[in-house]
Amino acid sequence: MSDCVFCRIVDGSAPARTVYEDDDVVGFLDIRPVTRGHVLIVPRTHSTGLADLSVDDGAAVMRAGQLVATALRNAPLRPGGEGADGANLVINDGRAAFQTVFHTHLHVIPRHRGDKLRVLRSLAIRRDRDPDSTARVVSEAVRERIEQQ
């Protein structure tokens, strides 16, 4: 779909800070992150939502989401070099669920103990001051996680 920004990211015609990719999915930093290291996992095959997402693509998205979420625990995302304490994996399916890009995607949002107020503030601001550094840190953590498997 040429009018889908995520399809353009998948085919390389739109820029993204890619942190993971395989034959089925691409993972890249969200341009409006809730927290530093917020990654979107998208299937390479276009689907607008869960209703037209194939079971195989859904499994690939979740598999990649699990890998990235686990890797974020070792990615030095905080000033002290600590990784995430957990992650939220979220799919917004449909306009009523706040989906804004109609290409199925999984949000992998790193979480840290006690970050509730920061996350609430970030929902309004949503920016990363150094996305290139974040992409490098997350990509390295993902590569390390893949090597451990």
Side-chain angles (χ1 to χ4, degrees), residues 41 61-71 89 106 108 145 149:
I41 306 291
V61 165
M62 287 305 294
R63 187 172 43 254
Q66 180 183 19
L67 182 136
V68 170
T70 303
L89 278 68
L106 175 70
V108 182
R145 180 66 187 151
Q149 292 182 336

Side-chain angles (χ1 to χ4, degrees), residues 115-133:
D115 71 356
K116 289 180 181 94
L117 291 176
R118 188 171 51 233
V119 166
L120 289 174
R121 187 176 137 265
S122 293
L123 287 171
I125 296 172
R126 294 185 72 174
R127 66 184 144 98
D128 185 339
R129 296 180 193 276
D130 189 2
D132 291 329
S133 170

Side-chain angles (χ1 to χ4, degrees), residues 40-53:
L40 301 178
I41 306 291
V42 304
R44 289 185 181 274
T45 303
H46 183 84
S47 67
T48 59
L50 294 175
D52 64 339
L53 178 69

Side-chain angles (χ1 to χ4, degrees), residues 8-25:
R8 290 194 308 272
I9 289 171
V10 166
D11 73 17
S13 63
R17 289 178 175 89
T18 301
V19 299
Y20 177 76
E21 61 183 313
D22 63 27
D23 292 341
D24 303 308
V25 303

